[in-house]
């Protein structure tokens, strides 16, 4: 069974790599529409006008928001990640705000225990609660901004999990995929790998649907990024 899971991971790898490079949406959110006036061509780069870098549902995204994102998100894991481009940071915030708006429509909530658990992760990765708040004060990032960020991340994760759980894979899709990739499973009977195959296909379909939904929101005009001449990305 471990071999089957490993083979499925190999099949899924291109999907995961693509998502990791584009904020889990399949491509850059800030370049996901054919309307250059709305979102801007990646080749042309960026130049900030004042402190506003984008608008999401007519809510301004500012340089201060980017500072907050960078300051807090670096403590999500104990391992230091590579330097993030401005485009990647903007995409992350756009994705989160759009998905949080959907979570709120469903009246999903961030429970107190969930907030404390995520805060505990941030504290641990910063070397303790006091060092974390010292880092926030140095930026500076207000305590209220930290709690808002944590709640948004929890809501986004809950909504994504809900979408993933409700992604439907038909038996005909599963059987067709299985027999098209029978060699990958070492010719094991479908009964032995049925659940693993379904889980893999549901994950793949979920990522595709989420990517398409994100693109649709951009094309509807919910996302508008400031774009002028060549500048810093």
């Amino acid at each position: 069974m471990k071999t089957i899971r490993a083979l499925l991971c190999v099949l899924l790898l291109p999907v995961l790599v693509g998502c990791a490079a584009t904020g889990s949406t399949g491509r850059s959110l800030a370049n996901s529409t054919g309307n250059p006036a709305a979102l801007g061509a990646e080749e042309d780069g960026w130049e900030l006008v004042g402190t506003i870098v984008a608008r999401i549902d007519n809510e301004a995204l500012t340089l201060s928001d980017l500072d907050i994102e960078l300051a807090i998100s670096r403590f999500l894991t104990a391992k230091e990640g590579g330097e993030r481009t401005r485009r990647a940071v903007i995409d992350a915030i756009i994705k989160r705000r759009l998905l949080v708006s959907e979570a709120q429509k469903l009246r999903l909530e961030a429970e107190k225990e969930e907030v404390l658990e995520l805060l505990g992760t941030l504290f641990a990765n910063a070397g303790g609660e006091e060092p974390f708040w010292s880092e926030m004060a140095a930026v500076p990032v207000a305590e209220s901004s930290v709690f808002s960020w944590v709640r948004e991340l929890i809501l986004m994760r809950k909504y994504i999990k809900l979408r993933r759980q409700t992604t439907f894979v038909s038996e005909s899709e599963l059987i067709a995929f299985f027999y098209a990739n029978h060699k990958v499973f070492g010719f094991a009977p479908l009964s032995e790998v049925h659940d693993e195959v379904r889980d893999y296909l549901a994950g793949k379909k979920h990522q595709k649907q989420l990517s398409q939904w994100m693109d649709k929101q951009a094309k509807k005009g919910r996302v508008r990024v400031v774009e002028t001449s060549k500048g810093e990305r």
Side-chain angles (χ1 to χ4, degrees), residues 27-223:
R27 65 198 227 185
S28 172
L29 291 173
N31 192 31
S32 56
T33 180
N35 182 357
L39 295 179
E42 190 155 338
E43 307 83 47
D44 291 338
W46 303 70
E47 183 177 334
L48 301 179
V49 177
T51 61
I52 297 177
V53 296
R55 289 188 179 276
I56 307 163
D57 288 336
N58 292 321
E59 180 181 347
L61 177 64
T62 68
L63 279 175
S64 178
D65 292 319
L66 304 193
D67 291 338
I68 291 171
E69 176 73 17
L70 286 169
I72 305 174
S73 64
R74 61 187 288 249
F75 295 114
L76 266 180
T77 62
K79 184 179 179 181
E80 290 256 351
E83 185 178 351
R84 299 168 68 187
T85 64
R86 179 174 291 158
R87 175 66 64 84
V89 177
I90 291 172
D91 278 358
I93 299 174
I94 290 172
K95 174 191 173 184
R96 188 172 65 249
R97 289 191 180 178
L98 287 175
L99 293 178
V100 165
S101 71
E102 297 305 303
Q104 290 171 336
K105 291 176 184 177
L106 296 177
R107 298 187 179 182
L108 299 181
E109 295 182 0
E111 303 296 337
K112 180 180 178 180
E113 295 76 14
E114 295 171 319
V115 171
L116 292 176
E117 182 180 359
L118 186 49
L119 279 173
T121 298
L122 298 177
F123 294 160
N125 292 332
E129 183 174 353
E130 186 174 338
F132 174 81
W133 290 119
S134 294
E135 290 281 350
M136 295 302 102
V139 176
V141 176
E143 184 175 314
S144 59
S145 295
V146 173
F147 278 93
S148 294
W149 188 93
V150 167
R151 290 189 183 96
E152 283 187 359
L153 186 61
I154 292 170
L155 288 178
M156 182 187 74
R157 288 176 171 178
K158 279 190 169 184
Y159 180 72
I160 289 177
K161 183 178 181 180
L162 180 63
R163 285 187 64 124
R164 171 67 175 78
Q165 291 173 338
T166 55
T167 301
F168 176 72
V169 175
S170 68
E171 196 67 17
S172 59
E173 289 177 289
L174 190 153
I175 292 172
F177 175 83
F178 173 76
Y179 285 109
N181 298 275
H182 204 186
K183 291 182 180 179
V184 172
F185 304 107
F187 297 99
L190 178 58
S191 59
E192 287 186 9
V193 297
H194 186 278
D195 291 344
E196 285 81 4
V197 174
R198 182 179 294 281
D199 189 62
Y200 164 74
L201 289 177
K204 188 174 181 181
K205 180 178 282 191
H206 162 70
Q207 291 291 351
K208 181 178 180 180
Q209 291 175 344
L210 187 59
S211 174
Q212 291 172 339
W213 183 84
M214 288 290 184
D215 287 347
K216 185 177 180 180
Q217 306 317 301
K219 291 174 182 177
K220 287 168 64 176
R222 293 185 66 187
V223 179

